C-alpha cells in the first residue's frame, strides 16, 4: 500500500524534492484531525476494529483487513463512523466494477500519454490548509485528438490514489483547479452526459478523499455548455464547493493563498512547476503499489 516500500520514491528538482509524504502529520494537521474528524487514539482504535468486523461480512470483497492504515484511509473521510466508512468502501469498489473499462490494470506506466501532454499537474507544495492542489488544464494545452477525456480521468484517478495514502492528505484533503483558458467548441463536444455523470458519481460517492473545493478559472462563455451537462447530477454539498472565478485572481485568493500559487494564478510561489513527465517518473516508481491497489475489490463474476 505504498507503505511496504523499502525506499520512498522521491525526485530532486533543483533545490526542491518531490516525494510522497508518508510520515506522521504535523501537530497542526493532527489538531485539524481532532477538531474536524473526531480523531483521537481511542476513537481511531475502536473505529478500526468496528470497520474490520463490518467488512468481514462482505465475503465477496477482497481487501487487506489486517492493514490498519488501509482501514483508516476510509475512516478519515467519514469522520470515523464505521457504517459510513463501510458504505464508502463498497461504493469505491462498486464504482471500479461498473467502470472496469477505465480501472482494469490502471497504473502509471500504462498511462504515459496523459502525463506527456502536461494537462494534469499537482503542485509540489500544499495550500495554507495543508491540502494537495491538483491543476487540470483543459483548454490551450489539451489536444483533444491526442488525449481522450477517459485518459484525463485515469490520470486524475492515479493522482488521487497517490494522495489517498498520504496521512496529511487524508486529513486535510485536496483542492482542484480547472483552468479552462482557451477552451474551444470542438473540445466542448467531447463532453457527454454519461461522462459527466461518471465524474459526478465518482466525486460524490466513490472517492475516499476530502475534495474541499473545485475552482474553475479562466473559463470562456462556452464553458456554460459543458457545466450544463454536469448540473443535473450535482447534489447540494458538491455544488456548493464548485466556485467560478473567471480571470478574477482576488476571488481565487480568498480560498487559496497567493503564497501557495504559481505566478500564472497571481501567486508568489517560487518553486519550480512540476511537469507531467516528472510526476510520471515519480509515479512509475510506485507501479507495483498500483498493482496491489488493483488486486483488491469485488471478485470478478
Amino acid at each position: 500500500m505504498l507503505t511496504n516500500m523499502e525506499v520512498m520514491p522521491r525526485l530532486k528538482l533543483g533545490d526542491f524534492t518531490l516525494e510522497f509524504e508518508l510520515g506522521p502529520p504535523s501537530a497542526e494537521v493532527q489538531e485539524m484531525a481532532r477538531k474536524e474528524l473526531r480523531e483521537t487514539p481511542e476513537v481511531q482504535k475502536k473505529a478500526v476494529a468496528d470497520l474490520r468486523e463490518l467488512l468481514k461480512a462482505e465475503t465477496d470483497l477482497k481487501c487487506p483487513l489486517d492493514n490498519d492504515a488501509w482501514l483508516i484511509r476510509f475512516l478519515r473521510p467519514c469522520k470515523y463512523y464505521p457504517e459510513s466508512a463501510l458504505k464508502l468502501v463498497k461504493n469505491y469498489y462498486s464504482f471500479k466494477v461498473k467502470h472496469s473499462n477505465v480501472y482494469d490494470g490502471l497504473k502509471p506506466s500504462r498511462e504515459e500519454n496523459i502525463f506527456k501532454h502536461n494537462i494534469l499537474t499537482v503542485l509540489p507544495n500544499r495550500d495554507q490548509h495543508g491540502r494537495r492542489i491538483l491543476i487540470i488544464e483543459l483548454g490551450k494545452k489539451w489536444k483533444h485528438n491526442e488525449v481522450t477525456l477517459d485518459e484525463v480521468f485515469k490520470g486524475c484517478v492515479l493522482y488521487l490514489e497517490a494522495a489517498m495514502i498520504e496521512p496529511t492528505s487524508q486529513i486535510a484533503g485536496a483542492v482542484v483547479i480547472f483552468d479552462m483558458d482557451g477552451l474551444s467548441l470542438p473540445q466542448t463536444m467531447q463532453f457527454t452526459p454519461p461522462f459527466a455523470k461518471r465524474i459526478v458519481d465518482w466525486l460524490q460517492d466513490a472517492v475516499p478523499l476530502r475534495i474541499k473545493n473545485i475552482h474553475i478559472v479562466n473559463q470562456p462563455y462556452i464553458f456554460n455548455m459543458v457545466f450544463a451537462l454536469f448540473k443535473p447530477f450535482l447534489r447540494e454539498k458538491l455544488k456548493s464547493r464548485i466556485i467560478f472565478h473567471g480571470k478574477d485572481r482576488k476571488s481565487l485568493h480568498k480560498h487559496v493563498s497567493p503564497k501557495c500559487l504559481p505566478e500564472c494564478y497571481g501567486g508568489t510561489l517560487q518553486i519550480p512547476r512540476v511537469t507531467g513527465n516528472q510526476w510520471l517518473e515519480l509515479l512509475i516508481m510506485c507501479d507495483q503499489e498500483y498493482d496491489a491497489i488493483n488486486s483488491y475489490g469485488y471478485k470478478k463474476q
Side-chain angles (χ1 to χ4, degrees):
M1 315 257 82
L2 271 169
T3 40
N4 310 335
M5 307 200 100
E6 308 291 317
V7 184
M8 261 335 292
R10 50 170 57 91
L11 206 60
K12 271 305 257 176
L13 303 174
D15 297 335
F16 193 82
T17 303
L18 188 62
E19 63 188 323
F20 290 115
E21 297 171 13
L22 298 185
S26 67
E28 294 83 30
V29 174
Q30 286 177 29
E31 177 60 14
M32 183 192 294
R34 192 184 65 75
K35 277 175 34 191
E36 295 181 17
L37 309 180
R38 310 188 310 129
E39 184 173 310
T40 64
E42 300 73 35
V43 167
Q44 189 173 78
K45 190 178 174 185
K46 183 176 186 316
V48 164
D50 290 351
L51 179 56
R52 186 175 280 128
E53 284 310 306
L54 289 170
L55 280 165
K56 279 180 186 167
E58 301 296 318
T59 49
D60 55 344
L61 181 63
K62 182 191 173 194
C63 53
L65 289 181
D66 54 346
N67 185 323
D68 285 7
W70 182 87
L71 294 164
I72 288 166
R73 186 187 307 185
F74 288 91
L75 284 161
R76 275 180 170 143
C78 298
K79 302 185 179 178
Y80 285 95
Y81 292 108
E83 290 78 10
S84 302
L86 172 69
K87 188 178 174 195
L88 180 58
V89 171
K90 289 164 78 170
N91 285 351
Y92 172 73
Y93 287 113
S94 300
F95 189 86
K96 287 190 170 198
V97 172
K98 186 176 179 185
H99 301 287
S100 57
N101 59 317
V102 171
Y103 280 95
D104 278 357
L106 180 60
K107 57 183 183 177
S109 61
R110 295 179 64 174
E111 299 302 329
E112 293 186 5
N113 190 42
I114 179 64
F115 292 100
K116 283 181 175 157
H117 281 265
N118 233 357
I119 294 168
L120 304 176
T121 188
V122 172
L123 294 182
N125 57 295
R126 295 173 180 272
D127 79 356
Q128 72 274 24
H129 302 297
R131 301 163 183 167
R132 282 282 187 199
I133 305 170
L134 169 63
I135 299 176
I136 305 173
E137 296 178 74
L138 283 181
K140 286 173 186 163
K141 282 192 179 175
W142 177 30
K143 297 182 175 70
H144 62 277
N145 299 324
E146 295 174 30
V147 181
T148 67
L149 279 175
D150 271 352
E151 287 179 294
V152 174
F153 177 66
K154 286 179 183 183
C156 291
V157 169
L158 290 171
Y159 274 135
L160 290 187
E161 293 274 6
M164 276 164 52
I165 51 172
E166 298 183 307
T168 297
S169 299
Q170 291 166 12
I171 295 164
V175 294
V176 182
I177 297 175
F178 274 98
D179 186 342
M180 307 308 290
D181 189 24
L183 179 76
S184 67
L185 193 58
Q187 288 172 330
T188 63
M189 306 316 276
Q190 306 303 305
F191 291 88
T192 63
F195 179 80
K197 184 177 190 316
R198 184 211 305 169
I199 297 295
V200 175
D201 288 351
W202 179 60
L203 287 171
Q204 290 183 148
D205 298 316
V207 173
L209 193 67
R210 306 174 76 201
I211 305 292
K212 302 301 288 183
N213 283 122
I214 296 174
H215 299 286
I216 316 283
V217 301
N218 299 331
Q219 72 275 18
Y221 186 70
I222 54 168
F223 178 73
N224 295 341
M225 287 168 55
V226 175
F227 191 63
L229 295 172
F230 290 80
K231 248 183 182 160
F233 309 116
L234 289 169
R235 295 196 292 269
E236 201 44 56
K237 184 177 174 183
L238 183 59
K239 197 189 270 181
S240 70
R241 293 183 175 190
I242 301 174
I243 307 163
F244 297 90
H245 303 286
K247 298 208 180 307
D248 184 348
R249 298 296 181 243
K250 285 202 169 70
S251 168
L252 177 63
H253 296 164
K254 284 179 190 162
H255 301 272
V256 186
S257 164
K259 288 180 188 155
C260 311
L261 290 168
E263 211 176 310
C264 58
Y265 301 118
T268 56
L269 188 67
Q270 289 303 317
I271 54 181
R273 183 90 180 253
V274 185
T275 67
N277 276 335
Q278 287 167 327
W279 270 113
L280 177 65
E281 203 181 318
L282 189 70
L283 289 169
I284 282 181
M285 294 178 198
C286 311
D287 241 28
Q288 81 269 25
E289 306 300 325
Y290 284 91
D291 288 333
I293 289 168
N294 294 338
S295 71
Y296 304 122
Y298 285 106
K299 299 192 174 89
K300 293 218 165 65
Q301 298 304 315

